[in-house]
Amino acid sequence: MVMSIIYGIIALSLLILVHELGHFLMARLANVKVLTFSLGFGKKLLSFRRGETEYALSMVPLGGYVKLLGESPEEEVQEEDIPRSYAHKPPFVKILIAFSGPFFNLIFAALLFYVVFVSGYNVLSTKVGSVEKGYPAYEAGIKEGDIIVNIEGKEIREWSDIMETMAEAQSGPLRFTVKRNGSLVDMAIIPKETESKNIFGEPIRRKVIGITASSEMVSKKDTLIGATTKAVYQTYNLSKITVLGIVKLIMGSISPKNVGGPLLILEVAGKQAKEGVTSLIYFVAIISINLGIINLLPIPILDGGHILFHIIEIVTRRKMSQRWMDIAQKVGMGILVAVMVLAFFNDIMRIFVG
């Protein structure tokens, strides 16, 4: 448990550092003076100053912040500092600064995926673990231990290739080639459509033939170019799934019980670390995507809320009144607190109740 907490805190701190680094670098690029760069909230445990910026490590490791000159409405800005004041920058510059944090999380996720894909990772082999009676594979003669090497002329290298090929195939028989005792055996199998559930718990129709994978794993390593393409696609695909998940949660299609928080991250990070560095890196990449997407939600107090305010300013050509900004911030804080309470409650129920 202690190691899980340590791994979890390290993972969260790294992702927060990347997020805040995005804001920091864009602010510097836009010639906005950065007063403080803090990893964590609350009381500062360690701090040092380099140039015009104070760098700090604070007590609560569940976030971080970059304090910019002129960011607070009540802050007085000296006349000579106005060109470097956040408040005096045009809206599109503020949007870039707000967007850069989540964007860095997505870029970091792609980088982590790239490291995994190029260094090597394990995937399920195409060896058949079991064959269910009464299903097409059993009727066609597939046996436990067979190795599927080809479907409809497409080479099959890992178990996910089987699922993808069957999902893309037209209705009718599929030509399977399996390796059995060193020999190749051809057979025609007509997949059966069954109803199951997707990752959101929604009913879907999918093609099955009645086989399961064995526990045999094979090592896979992508080329430098192949890993780049795959990392970008993986980041895009998981980002899309995250957005769909949030939309379905808001619409009520997904139970609020699926919302997880820091305790769940600590628990899973520990488990992934036990499975190996590759599993931990992959998990951190997924959390980085979640952190980036969630921060882009148009909720006041989050980066997405700030972006929304600045878009409104561009459209209306006038700033929102401070009164409405304060009200929106309080509403945003209320939403955020409610979600955090729900996440902590779900985490506690998972860990202690099961």
Side-chain angles (χ1 to χ4, degrees), residues 6-22 37 39-40 57 61 63 101 104-105 108-109 111-112 280-281 284-285 287-288 291:
I6 293 174
Y7 285 124
I9 290 176
I10 291 173
L12 280 173
S13 298
L14 180 60
L15 296 180
I16 292 166
L17 176 63
V18 168
H19 182 91
E20 299 304 331
L21 185 62
F37 184 113
L39 181 60
L57 178 63
F104 261 52
N105 280 124
F108 185 61
L111 179 61
L112 292 179
L280 180 60
I281 292 174
V284 172
I287 297 302
S288 190
L291 181 61

Side-chain angles (χ1 to χ4, degrees), residues 30-32 82-91 93-94 97 313:
N31 194 32
V32 175
I82 286 179
R84 303 195 63 201
S85 167
Y86 174 82
H88 294 83
K89 293 293 182 180
V93 171
K94 297 176 182 177
I97 293 174
E313 184 180 343

Side-chain angles (χ1 to χ4, degrees), residues 148-212:
I148 299 174
V149 296
N150 194 291
I151 301 177
E152 286 293 302
K154 177 182 176 181
E155 184 180 3
I156 303 300
R157 299 179 179 179
E158 58 184 280
W159 193 262
S160 62
D161 291 341
I162 302 173
M163 304 295 100
E164 291 174 6
T165 303
M166 287 176 51
E168 295 169 357
Q170 301 294 323
S171 58
L174 298 178
R175 292 178 291 109
F176 278 68
T177 300
V178 303
K179 183 181 286 186
R180 180 184 300 162
N181 299 324
S183 301
L184 296 179
V185 180
D186 294 322
M187 58 189 71
I189 304 176
I190 302 177
K192 174 182 178 181
E193 278 205 358
T194 61
E195 187 172 283
S196 61
K197 292 185 177 181
N198 61 17
I199 60 173
F200 301 120
E202 300 170 322
I204 58 170
R205 302 286 297 180
R206 68 187 186 96
K207 300 184 184 75
V208 300
I209 59 174
I211 59 174
T212 60

Side-chain angles (χ1 to χ4, degrees), residues 256-269:
K257 292 181 180 180
N258 292 313
V259 176
L263 296 181
L264 179 62
I265 293 174
L266 295 179
E267 181 186 15
V268 177

Side-chain angles (χ1 to χ4, degrees), residues 24-43:
F24 174 80
L25 292 178
M26 182 54 68
R28 293 288 295 269
L29 189 63
N31 194 32
V32 175
K33 186 176 182 179
V34 181
L35 302 177
T36 307
F37 184 113
S38 176
L39 181 60
F41 289 117
K43 184 179 178 181

Side-chain angles (χ1 to χ4, degrees), residues 63-128:
Y65 64 92
V66 171
K67 184 178 180 181
L68 307 176
L69 176 68
E71 190 174 11
S72 301
E74 66 276 3
E75 182 182 353
E76 289 187 16
V77 179
Q78 300 297 321
E79 187 173 349
E80 63 269 18
D81 288 331
I82 286 179
R84 303 195 63 201
S85 167
Y86 174 82
H88 294 83
K89 293 293 182 180
F92 76 89
V93 171
K94 297 176 182 177
I95 289 174
L96 286 176
I97 293 174
F99 178 74
S100 293
F103 181 68
F104 261 52
N105 280 124
L106 298 180
I107 293 298
F108 185 61
L111 179 61
L112 292 179
F113 285 137
Y114 177 81
V115 170
V116 170
F117 296 149
V118 82
S119 61
Y121 54 103
N122 291 328
V123 295
L124 281 172
S125 74
T126 61
K127 187 175 182 179
V128 177

